[in-house]
Amino acid sequence: MAACALLLGACAAKPPIQTPVLVQTPPRVVVVMDPQLTELLAYQSALRLMTPSELVKAQLDLAKADHAPHNTVRRAMLQATVRGPGDLARAQALLEPLATATGKDAQLLAPLVQLLSSQYAELRRQDESIDKLNAQLRDAQRRNDLLNEKLEALKNIERSLSVRPAAGAPK
C-alpha cells in the first residue's frame, strides 16, 4: 500500500512555480492649474458667447489695460473672435513677441500662446482657401451665365429662321 501511494504520488503533476511579475504603474501626474491660465481659458469661453456690441465694449476696456502678457493674450483672443479682415493676422502679430519672451509670466503662458498662434494660423489658411474657392465659384457662375446667354441667343436665332417647306411639297 505504501508503495502504491508512492507510485501515485510520483505520477501527480507538481504545481508550476509562479514567478512574481513586477508591474510598473505610470507616475501619477497632478496638474496644478495656474489661476492666470484658468482665467484666460474662461475669458476665451466668454468671448464666444458675446454679442458684437459686447465685443466692442471689451475692445475698449482692453485698450485701457496695461500691456502685461496676460492682457496681450486677451487682446489676441478678442481680435481672433471679432474676425474682421486681417484680424487673425493682427492676433498672431500680438502673440509673436510672447512666444519668444523670457519673463516668468510669458514662460507660463508660452504653451497657450503657441496653441493659439497655431490655431490662428490654421484659421487663416482656411479663410484663404475659402476665399480662393469662392473666387473659383464666382468665375464658374460667370462662365455659366455667359454660356446660358449664348444658348438663349442661339435659340432666338433658331426661332427667327423661317420655317422651310417640307421636301417635295408644292410651292
Side-chain angles (χ1 to χ4, degrees):
M1 203 57 164
C4 236
L6 282 175
L7 285 174
L8 286 176
C11 290
K14 293 182 181 180
I17 299 173
Q18 293 182 348
T19 58
V21 177
L22 295 176
V23 177
Q24 290 184 344
T25 57
R28 188 171 180 195
V29 177
V30 178
V31 177
V32 179
M33 288 294 290
D34 184 83
Q36 238 181 13
L37 285 176
T38 305
E39 189 271 330
L40 284 171
L41 293 173
Y43 183 73
Q44 176 66 35
S45 295
L47 284 176
R48 292 178 32 205
L49 302 174
M50 287 185 181
T51 63
S53 61
E54 290 172 331
L55 290 172
V56 169
K57 184 183 179 309
Q59 280 180 322
L60 295 174
D61 291 343
L62 273 177
K64 297 174 189 171
D66 63 351
H67 291 284
H70 65 281
N71 284 337
T72 303
V73 172
R74 283 179 170 203
R75 284 184 184 91
M77 288 176 171
L78 187 56
Q79 283 285 353
T81 303
V82 172
R83 294 289 292 272
D87 281 341
L88 284 173
R90 282 191 283 279
Q92 275 188 295
L94 284 171
L95 294 175
E96 281 178 18
L98 291 179
T100 58
T102 57
K104 182 183 175 196
D105 286 344
Q107 286 180 343
L108 174 71
L109 297 174
L112 178 62
V113 167
Q114 289 172 350
L115 174 71
L116 290 174
S117 185
S118 65
Q119 187 178 32
Y120 298 159
E122 180 62 28
L123 287 172
R124 284 180 66 193
R125 280 190 291 275
Q126 288 176 357
D127 285 349
E128 289 168 2
S129 178
I130 288 170
D131 291 343
K132 182 180 175 183
L133 290 173
N134 282 335
Q136 290 174 351
L137 178 63
R138 281 191 302 274
D139 289 343
Q141 286 174 337
R142 195 173 317 120
R143 282 192 305 269
N144 190 24
D145 290 343
L146 286 173
L147 289 173
N148 280 334
E149 288 175 14
K150 288 179 182 180
L151 183 62
E152 287 299 319
L154 287 173
K155 285 181 183 178
N156 288 336
I157 290 172
E158 188 178 79
R159 283 187 216 121
S160 67
L161 292 176
S162 60
V163 179
R164 292 185 182 175
K171 289 186 183 181

